[in-house]
Amino acid sequence: MNPYDFENSNGTLATKLICVGLEYGIKELLETPNAVTANLLISIKRDRKREDIIPCINTAVDLRDEYLNYIKNNNISESEGFMIPHVSGLDVAGIERNNLPAELHPFYKEAFERCLLSTIHAGETERAQSVKDAIFMLNASRIGHGLSIQQDEDMKQLIV
């Protein structure tokens, strides 16, 4: 059941145990194959120093790599692999003025290269530019809040 090698890992044990627990719970609940799955986002809190954000991103990247290697090395099909709980992305949350999307951009190189999903909380207390930067600089596939989009007609059209 355990898709990860705990002894030879750069990732966090707690995150891996959560994945294993999710897999166990999903298998117990499933009556229909491929009906339920769960994945994790590593959440980055904006109140942290920027240099403290790098290990969070690296953990997500390392765990994503381990998951992909596990799928490949065990000849697991894409649809079966999707059912194995894993870290699928990053989330950035907290007060925007602490680490705006444009300021976080340089730290995201590894996440971009591994195609991690990105959920960014933006546009709650900052201008619409924060939402735009989250989309174009952090490759956000989901925006949390986005209230300031109402102030920018171009952004409203882009989002629509």
Side-chain angles (χ1 to χ4, degrees):
M1 185 184 319
N2 178 355
Y4 301 114
D5 177 1
F6 288 125
E7 294 183 23
N8 298 311
S9 166
N10 294 327
T12 65
L13 181 60
T15 303
K16 291 180 181 187
L17 290 173
I18 290 169
C19 288
V20 170
L22 286 172
E23 183 176 14
Y24 176 79
I26 288 168
K27 285 184 178 182
E28 290 295 312
L29 292 172
L30 281 178
E31 291 184 16
T32 306
N34 301 325
V36 177
T37 191
N39 294 319
L40 302 176
L41 294 175
I42 300 287
S43 187
I44 297 168
K45 302 300 180 193
R46 281 193 165 107
D47 61 350
R48 300 181 98 176
K49 295 177 186 171
R50 287 187 206 132
E51 59 268 16
D52 293 336
I53 289 172
I54 295 171
C56 293
I57 294 171
N58 289 342
T59 295
V61 168
D62 289 346
L63 290 170
R64 174 72 171 189
D65 282 352
E66 286 183 32
Y67 161 75
L68 294 174
N69 287 333
Y70 177 80
I71 299 300
K72 179 182 173 186
N73 294 337
N74 290 282
N75 296 317
I76 296 173
S77 71
E78 188 175 325
S79 61
E80 289 173 324
F82 181 72
M83 295 302 293
I84 298 171
H86 60 280
V87 172
S88 61
L90 292 163
D91 173 68
V92 177
I95 299 171
E96 281 181 85
R97 71 179 153 288
N98 299 329
N99 291 310
L100 292 164
E103 297 167 333
L104 293 174
H105 179 260
F107 300 103
Y108 260 68
K109 181 179 185 278
E110 295 293 323
F112 293 141
E113 289 177 0
R114 301 305 192 289
C115 298
L116 285 171
L117 295 174
S118 187
T119 297
I120 311 294
H121 295 248
E124 182 180 20
T125 58
E126 296 295 319
R127 299 181 341 242
Q129 184 65 42
S130 181
V131 176
K132 187 175 186 177
D133 290 346
I135 294 168
F136 293 107
M137 297 182 91
L138 299 183
N139 205 23
S141 54
R142 179 186 173 277
I143 296 291
H145 310 294
L147 301 173
S148 65
I149 293 169
Q150 292 296 324
Q151 303 163 1
D152 185 320
E153 205 53 46
D154 291 336
M155 279 301 299
K156 281 190 341 190
Q157 292 304 312
L158 175 69
I159 298 301
V160 169

